[in-house]
Amino acid sequence: MTSTPIALFDMHGQQALIREKLRTRIDAVLASGRFINGPEVTELEEKLAAFAGGGYAVGVSSGTDALQIAMMAEGIGRGDAVFLPAFTYTATAEVPLVLGATPVFVDVDPHTFNIDLADLEKRIALVQAEGKLKPRAIVGVDLFGRPADWPALHALADKHGLFLLDDAAQAFGGDIQGKRLGRWAHATALSFYPTKTLGCYGDGGALLTPSEEKAALYKSLRTHGEGGGRYEVLRTGMNGRLDTIQAAILLCKLELFDQELKDRAKAAAWYNEALGNSVQVPELVPGHAWGLYTIRLPDLETRTRVQEGLKAAGIPFGVYYPKPLHHQPAYQGAHTAGLTAAPALTVAEQLCHQVMSLPMHPYLTQEQVQRVAAAVKAAL
Ligand SMILES: *Cc1c(COP(=O)(O)O)cnc(C)c1O
């Protein structure tokens, strides 16, 4: 049997489909010379908002900067508590810390891997009782592309008067009951890092918001707080713009995006069928964007064995994430500052020993998926 090598993320199949369009779009930017704030940025912003089903989109330099601009716009800083899951990428927690605020880590659900609502409510009450920090914001993460429980998060944020930010860096294209991510929270941060569901050829990101005023504020913040005319600085901002060339690339990729989301869901269904009950597989919920396909194994020893089996079979995999954020040296101080006697983050700690992400992209064939699943099962 001749078998094609399997990639963890697709970097070539998609490119081959749009090569001519990419050349034309990039050539147009080269000819115009408008490398910053060119018309492609505005065109992309309009198309992103339309894709999300309404509201406004603001292109920015990365997913991390999208999170930062959204928090700067709310004036989040010293003395503020920002609640976020302990099981996520470091960027989610880094941003409040950079702004002088304190991340308060929340445990996650063992099946969805997203923020645990009951634990969140408990920690909001604990922060209020301690009285050192002011609860200001919740950052929900749609981990691996699975939308968090946004209706419930919204109700909780409203009840406590908190700003609700969606870190949808892994989940653009996802929805709940047909209403896309981008429309659920007060602001939604997207990343166009190359391996995300919609990726560019470098760094990039965007903010989605239902508010025209907020969109204008985000545009000011991404350009050093300028407004009311060039070199008129109204507020402290940053250099957080999206390059015109990256916008041009994203415009080509956006044309394939709907179909790619369907093909990711198809690959996830093939995996679930092939893996059966041999491991904990992700639930096939409609609206999952399948940024990653992540299984859960019973313990660290089994995971190590499966990793070795896949390595031997030449199949790539990833471990997102090997350490919960509260165990990272960079967050030790913040963790204890947030809550003096924080309850354990048991599920987040367990998952770091158990999860493993298998190849996931729209260009996988069923034969490739079956080959990966067979290698996983053989190593159990
Ligand atoms: C990738 C990612 C980010 C950061 O996005 P960048 O574009 O790399 O800055 C933030 N949060 C999560 C959950 C991510 O996966």
Side-chain angles (χ1 to χ4, degrees):
M1 190 177 86
T2 61
S3 48
T4 46
I6 301 172
L8 188 56
F9 305 104
D10 170 70
M11 290 294 140
H12 301 287
Q14 179 201 54
Q15 200 182 113
L17 294 178
I18 51 172
R19 185 156 290 131
E20 288 312 308
K21 279 185 185 156
L22 285 167
R23 294 251 155 86
T24 308
R25 279 278 192 182
I26 292 170
D27 280 347
V29 179
L30 297 182
S32 78
R34 296 181 63 184
F35 301 121
I36 302 288
N37 287 342
E40 287 81 358
V41 175
T42 314
E43 186 185 346
L44 177 70
E45 289 171 341
E46 282 163 6
K47 289 191 170 153
L48 288 174
F51 190 89
Y56 301 85
V58 177
V60 298
S61 41
S62 69
T64 308
D65 290 344
L67 293 167
Q68 181 162 335
I69 288 169
M71 289 194 211
M72 287 171 89
E74 304 304 315
I76 290 169
R78 199 156 300 284
D80 291 337
V82 177
F83 298 85
L84 53 94
F87 186 58
T88 177
Y89 184 55
T90 179
T92 319
E94 170 185 27
V95 170
L97 216 47
V98 163
L99 294 177
T102 304
V104 174
F105 298 111
V106 180
D107 213 356
V108 294
D109 179 277
H111 295 278
T112 65
F113 306 149
N114 284 328
I115 199 161
D116 179 313
L117 269 295
D119 192 65
L120 171 59
E121 188 133 39
K122 185 163 81 186
R123 283 172 209 263
I124 293 171
L126 285 170
V127 168
Q128 280 168 337
E130 273 197 11
K132 285 188 301 179
L133 297 171
K134 184 176 186 305
R136 279 298 304 281
I138 301 168
V139 189
V141 180
D142 310 297
L143 203 70
F144 308 141
R146 163 96 191 227
D149 187 350
W150 289 105
L153 282 169
H154 221 293
L156 200 59
D158 283 350
K159 181 173 152 192
H160 296 281
L162 304 176
F163 175 64
L164 187 59
L165 177 56
D166 181 358
D167 179 347
Q170 301 182 3
F172 187 46
D175 69 77
I176 298 175
Q177 284 154 15
K179 182 169 151 184
R180 283 229 151 96
L181 297 176
R183 306 280 290 147
W184 285 98
H186 297 133
T188 300
L190 307 181
S191 166
F192 303 132
Y193 184 82
T195 61
K196 311 284 176 155
T197 51
L198 180 65
C200 58
Y201 295 150
D203 278 308
L207 268 166
L208 302 175
T209 168
S211 154
E212 189 174 7
E213 268 165 49
K214 280 287 155 69
L217 182 52
Y218 297 159
K219 284 184 182 170
S220 166
L221 287 168
R222 77 175 171 189
T223 313
H224 307 287
E226 282 184 3
R230 199 126 185 242
Y231 306 117
E232 187 69 20
V233 184
L234 303 179
R235 51 184 70 85
T236 308
M238 60 194 283
N239 180 353
R241 292 173 297 247
L242 176 69
D243 290 344
T244 308
I245 283 196
Q246 298 302 344
I249 290 161
L250 287 162
L251 281 165
C252 301
K253 292 188 166 211
L254 201 52
E255 291 182 23
L256 300 176
F257 194 42
D258 253 320
Q259 184 59 46
E260 288 186 341
L261 289 165
K262 291 186 188 124
D263 291 340
R264 284 176 182 273
K266 204 175 348 171
W270 288 336
Y271 268 124
N272 277 27
E273 191 191 330
L275 288 165
N277 296 322
S278 60
V279 295
Q280 181 185 313
V281 295
E283 198 187 343
L284 294 180
V285 285
H288 196 314
W290 300 106
L292 288 159
Y293 181 89
T294 304
I295 58 171
R296 182 183 177 204
L297 298 157
D299 48 41
L300 184 60
E301 297 74 63
T302 313
R303 185 175 74 187
T304 307
R305 212 162 51 238
V306 174
Q307 285 176 304
E308 278 159 12
L310 292 195
K311 250 183 235 160
I315 293 166
F317 58 86
V319 172
Y320 310 102
Y321 296 90
K323 231 185 216 189
L325 291 181
H326 61 289
H327 286 177
Q328 295 283 6
Y331 298 111
Q332 297 283 296
H335 182 47
T336 45
L339 275 175
T340 343
L345 294 152
T346 317
V347 179
E349 289 170 15
Q350 275 172 0
L351 291 177
C352 290
H353 289 157
Q354 299 170 331
V355 293
M356 173 168 190
S357 301
L358 304 177
M360 170 49 80
H361 60 78
Y363 302 98
L364 284 171
T365 65
Q366 189 169 12
E367 182 273 325
Q368 288 178 319
V369 168
Q370 285 168 344
R371 198 154 19 114
V372 177
V376 169
K377 281 158 89 173
L380 283 172

